[in-house]
Amino acid sequence: MTWAAAPGTFTWTDGSANWNTPTAWDLGSAPTSLDSAIIGDAATNTITIDSTTNIANLTLNGTNDTVAVISGGLLQATGTITINAGTLADTGGFAASQIIDNGVLNIITDATQTLNNTPLFLGGTLLVSAAFGIAGTLTLGPGEIVTQDGANALIASSIDNDQNAVINLGTIDANGGSMTIAPLNFFNQGSIDATGETLTIGYDNGAGMLGSWSNNGGTISNAASLIMDGSLATANIGIITGSGGITEAGLLDNTGGTLNAGSGTQLVTVTLTSGGMVGGGTIVDQGGGFVFSGGTLNNVTYQGPLELTNQAAQAIISNGLAVTGTGGSLPGTIDLTGAGASLNFATTETLDNVTVNIGNATSADVLQASFNGGSLVIGSSATIVSNDLGALATLAAGSGAALDLDGTLDAFSNGGTFTLADGGGTFTNDGSIIVSNGDTLNAATAIDAGTGNGTIDVGGGGVADFAGAVAGGEALVFTDTTGILTLHTPTSFAATIDNFAIGNTIDLAGIAADAATWLGGTLTISNAGGSVAALSLPGDYTDDLFNVAPDNTGGSQVTVTATCYAAGTRILTPRGEIAVERLREGDLVETISGRAQPVDWIGHRRVDFRRHPNRHRVLPVRIAAHAFGPDRPRRELLLSPDHAVFVEDVLIPIRHLINGTTVAQITRQAITYYHIELPRHDVLLANGMPAESYLEAGARDAFANGGGALQLHPDFAPPLDHYTILWEAQGYAPLVVTGAALERAREALARQAQDYSRLPRSRGAFSRRSAPAA
């Protein structure tokens, strides 16, 4: 049905009309006035306006209802326009108080439009449209108030015109729901109050097209969550107050600028999400300023700790990153410690003058170079540190990427694992890799040697585990007598092995071996006469014995041991304490098992450390008086490094308890070692300290009175295959070198060390003077 208006004014005299049937209404070209109209729920209802039309109240209820104000038309509302569904399209102009609920107010214009002093209640979409190439601008004047009416509201522009814009000089009152302000260009010079609201500002079509927006001269306040999309220059951030959190999902252009974020700033917390980017300039983080949930830092200087500490934190670095401390001081800090966090370098980069703390005990953190071509250089003044208990950390070079370590990688997380992952790229060590404190280096990728000839230091109970090749020019250095080197493909391990000493272990994972011999700087490990490994071992091991035994996991381990008392040590007997060198075979000694046992044999050997080629293997370990508690020991006690003491109901070789203060390895020109063998392996009291007796496993040739051929330079090392079997069958208590009992013993030793300053001299407080040595 079509109705054509006669010239003049059309008025519903009863003040309302209810159209509930499919109807098309053409109000014609003459001025028309409508008191009130309701378009119902029918399939199609259309009102076309092509002249000046005044209306008191207009309501659209039908999904397909349309009020079209075409060229030459003008809709002037004195009341409200309510759109519960349907479309209001305007190519002319209007002055109205309007309510848009789940509908669209479409302003189609080839010129600027202004809404001023016409309250707009928005629960649907306010859309600005114009033909391509024509600037369509809607200005919300100083007197305009746009109030959100409903859970969701949208202010947008047609996506096919990059010149459309909305300028807000008035007030946008959004509260209690979700509002998106995403015209292609948006300029807020008025106020936006978003109390309790999720407010999104900025246009992004998801295909690389970003609209620009500005808050310069405007205010945004009270948003529960402010999502910054599109493109925004930091100079145009304006005033943002009372924000419950800012999410950067677009481009924040900081070129040449300074962006302040964190505690005490208006950008209290900025969450950088996937697709978001901060480009250029300096970020000053006052503390907790950025939360990284994806997104990119592009050519940025980051002042203050860069923290990826939240779960699954992610950040991409491109085109340069400099990290400094407060005020620009060096070095800077990166905390990559959130469970499953990752820091991904997408372009060639040199990361220097920075400390990277990495790793957590839940899910490995990853620092990765992911670009194809180019290199990520960890500079000579950069340190990567993994130190949290049980921390898991990964360093990786993706396919086609080169990762070059010129600085330091320090893995000392007790019980943790630092992985050099095989991501398809290359890893070069020109710096220093340190593994200690019970941590494991899991080198799953090959390690190339650069021009700097890098080192890999292993000590403090650390394990260096190599699945890939290690190039010549690299040096693996045992820094004490507790490190373990594990090789899965020993034939591809070309690095030199320095300071291999008593207590250190070379483990051939999954490889059977039964003998090891040293000649001319090469340690050859063989099985049934055939070589399985030839390792570079500089030094002089001419007179040393290398012992090979199963590692209980299908492989083989090479190691040496020594277990002796120093002369002057006093052993408890039923007759009191007697110096070990004065005891004789048949004498009774007290044991902690509660029975006195006769001495079967006392081995002795004087060791001249000035002539010993590997003196660090056998230098004595000094235990200070009361190091393990009152009278344990009563006075200083000197033991050989692998002599086990009884603590925590287990036997622990003293080398595993060295702390550098109350238990320390010392230097001497010479010393005489003794060891006491009993009918049954037991624990003696030496200077009041529970320590093991001798367990014979084939090492008598190290002692002067062993009854056979004498080792020129003794290391007191029994064949480990016999030793392990004998210990399991005859040992007084479990022999422990890792695990909870060892950690408890270390912790107790550390607590006791704190009490030294309060011990009286009469109790034998810490002294640098050792017990007499023959």
Side-chain angles (χ1 to χ4, degrees):
M1 169 179 167
T2 302
W3 177 84
T9 299
F10 185 88
T11 303
W12 278 269
T13 56
D14 61 0
S16 67
N18 192 351
W19 299 320
N20 288 314
T21 58
T23 306
W25 300 91
D26 183 355
L27 300 188
S29 59
T32 304
S33 175
L34 307 178
D35 283 344
S36 180
I38 300 174
I39 299 180
D41 297 326
T44 301
N45 294 287
T46 302
I47 295 180
T48 301
I49 298 174
D50 59 4
S51 60
T52 299
T53 300
N54 299 312
I55 189 168
N57 298 288
L58 177 62
T59 301
L60 279 69
N61 285 326
T63 302
N64 296 312
D65 294 343
T66 301
V67 174
V69 184
I70 65 175
S71 180
L74 176 62
L75 178 63
Q76 300 181 127
T78 58
T80 63
I81 298 176
T82 303
I83 301 180
N84 295 314
T87 301
L88 174 64
D90 180 16
T91 61
F94 54 93
S97 178
Q98 292 138 16
I99 298 176
I100 319 297
D101 287 332
N102 301 315
V104 178
L105 173 58
N106 188 0
I107 302 174
I108 305 173
T109 180
D110 55 5
T112 61
Q113 298 279 357
T114 300
L115 285 181
N116 197 30
N117 300 309
T118 56
L120 173 63
F121 297 88
L122 186 62
T125 300
L126 175 61
L127 188 65
V128 179
S129 299
F132 185 79
I134 303 299
T137 301
L138 171 64
T139 299
L140 304 176
E144 184 63 24
I145 299 175
V146 178
T147 302
Q148 181 172 345
D149 181 41
N152 301 287
L154 172 65
I155 299 176
S157 62
S158 61
I159 61 173
D160 59 354
N161 189 335
D162 61 5
Q163 299 186 56
N164 287 344
V166 173
I167 301 172
N168 178 44
L169 304 176
T171 299
I172 298 176
D173 188 359
N175 54 80
S178 174
M179 175 178 278
T180 299
I181 303 176
L184 288 171
N185 301 283
F186 177 66
F187 304 92
N188 181 43
Q189 297 171 13
S191 65
I192 302 174
D193 186 348
T195 302
E197 182 87 354
T198 296
L199 176 63
T200 301
I201 303 180
Y203 175 79
D204 180 357
N205 72 347
M209 182 178 179
L210 300 178
S212 66
W213 66 281
S214 168
N215 190 44
N216 192 11
T219 62
I220 301 172
S221 60
N222 303 320
S225 176
L226 174 58
I227 301 174
M228 301 162 66
D229 209 340
S231 177
L232 171 68
T234 55
N236 294 328
I237 286 178
I239 299 174
I240 299 175
T241 61
S243 175
I246 297 168
T247 299
E248 173 52 45
L251 169 62
L252 189 56
D253 187 354
N254 192 41
T255 304
T258 298
L259 176 65
N260 290 283
S263 178
T265 72
Q266 65 174 349
L267 304 182
V268 178
T269 301
V270 178
T271 299
L272 188 62
T273 63
S274 179
M277 176 184 291
V278 178
T282 299
I283 295 173
V284 179
D285 191 338
Q286 304 290 353
F290 267 73
V291 175
F292 294 94
S293 295
T296 301
L297 296 179
N298 183 58
N299 191 23
V300 166
T301 295
Y302 200 99
Q303 188 178 118
L306 195 161
E307 298 175 317
L308 290 95
T309 55
N310 52 302
Q311 183 174 356
Q314 297 181 22
I316 298 171
I317 306 300
S318 65
N319 299 313
L321 171 69
V323 181
T324 72
T326 303
S329 61
L330 293 174
T333 302
I334 298 174
D335 291 327
L336 181 60
T337 56
S342 64
L343 183 61
N344 196 346
F345 291 84
T347 57
T348 292
E349 176 70 73
T350 296
L351 188 64
D352 207 0
N353 295 304
V354 66
T355 297
V356 181
N357 298 305
I358 184 172
N360 71 94
T362 302
S363 179
D365 297 319
V366 179
L367 192 156
Q368 177 170 315
S370 63
F371 46 86
N372 190 342
S375 61
L376 169 61
V377 178
I378 308 300
S380 59
S381 296
T383 301
I384 300 175
V385 181
S386 176
N387 59 7
D388 286 347
L389 181 65
L392 306 173
T394 298
L395 192 62
S399 180
L403 201 159
D404 189 350
L405 177 67
D406 290 346
T408 301
L409 190 161
D410 194 354
F412 62 100
S413 303
N414 193 342
T417 299
F418 200 115
T419 299
L420 302 179
D422 185 2
T426 61
F427 179 85
T428 300
N429 180 31
D430 280 324
S432 177
I433 300 174
I434 303 170
V435 190
S436 62
N437 195 34
D439 207 6
T440 296
L441 174 72
N442 176 22
T445 188
I447 297 179
D448 297 331
T451 58
N453 297 329
T455 62
I456 304 164
D457 296 342
V458 186
V463 178
D465 188 318
F466 296 94
V470 179
E474 294 288 292
L476 184 133
V477 182
F478 287 103
T479 58
D480 62 15
T481 58
T482 63
I484 298 174
L485 168 61
T486 300
L487 301 176
H488 295 260
T489 55
T491 55
S492 64
F493 188 86
T496 60
I497 301 173
D498 294 329
N499 298 337
F500 183 67
I502 187 168
N504 299 132
T505 300
I506 298 174
D507 184 58
L508 305 185
I511 299 173
D514 56 18
T517 57
W518 181 91
L519 179 64
T522 299
L523 178 64
T524 300
I525 306 171
S526 57
N527 185 46
S531 175
V532 296
L535 304 176
S536 175
L537 190 65
D540 185 2
Y541 293 85
T542 304
D543 300 313
D544 291 304
L545 175 65
F546 292 88
N547 302 285
V548 180
D551 63 4
N552 298 321
T553 59
S556 309
Q557 61 182 15
V558 181
T559 188
V560 292
T561 61
T563 53
C564 303
Y565 294 106
T569 302
R570 302 180 69 83
I571 306 299
L572 182 64
T573 76
R575 296 178 293 146
E577 288 187 336
I578 298 176
V580 64
E581 63 268 26
R582 294 183 180 180
L583 288 173
R584 298 294 181 265
E585 293 177 5
D587 287 347
L588 293 176
V589 293
E590 297 286 357
T591 67
I592 66 169
S593 65
R595 61 181 179 271
Q597 289 202 57
V599 174
D600 273 3
W601 176 75
I602 301 176
H604 61 83
R605 179 71 182 272
R606 179 176 173 81
V607 182
D608 188 338
F609 299 115
R610 295 170 299 179
R611 296 180 176 87
H612 200 291
N614 295 290
R615 65 194 190 101
H616 51 279
R617 297 180 177 221
V618 286
L619 280 170
V621 176
R622 179 197 61 213
I623 306 175
H626 316 296
F628 289 88
D631 296 329
R632 293 207 171 190
R634 228 182 328 274
R635 62 185 66 84
E636 269 187 2
L637 175 64
L638 297 184
L639 298 176
S640 59
D642 266 80
H643 199 127
V645 295
F646 187 73
V647 292
E648 298 292 332
D649 295 323
V650 297
L651 284 163
I652 301 175
I654 192 61
R655 64 183 171 86
H656 290 287
L657 297 172
I658 290 173
N659 59 14
T661 55
T662 59
V663 179
Q665 192 167 38
I666 61 174
T667 59
R668 283 290 181 271
Q669 291 186 353
I671 202 169
T672 299
Y673 280 133
Y674 290 83
H675 217 325
I676 298 171
E677 184 179 22
L678 304 176
R680 297 182 61 182
H681 189 239
D682 213 322
V683 174
L684 308 169
L685 290 172
N687 291 357
M689 182 71 199
E692 66 166 329
S693 65
Y694 178 73
L695 180 61
E696 166 54 22
R700 288 187 189 274
D701 58 352
F703 296 93
N705 59 333
L710 185 67
Q711 290 185 29
L712 179 60
H713 298 295
D715 56 17
F716 309 99
L720 284 190
D721 51 351
H722 296 158
Y723 195 64
T724 301
I725 295 171
L726 282 172
W727 194 284
E728 291 178 355
Q730 301 178 21
Y732 175 81
L735 182 66
V736 168
V737 295
T738 60
L742 176 61
E743 292 310 311
R744 289 195 298 270
R746 287 175 174 171
E747 291 168 0
L749 192 62
R751 288 193 300 270
Q752 186 66 20
Q754 296 175 359
D755 294 336
Y756 265 105
S757 61
R758 297 191 289 272
L759 287 175
R761 281 289 168 188
S762 61
R763 294 291 302 275
F766 179 79
S767 168
R768 294 188 179 275
R769 183 174 163 273
S770 68

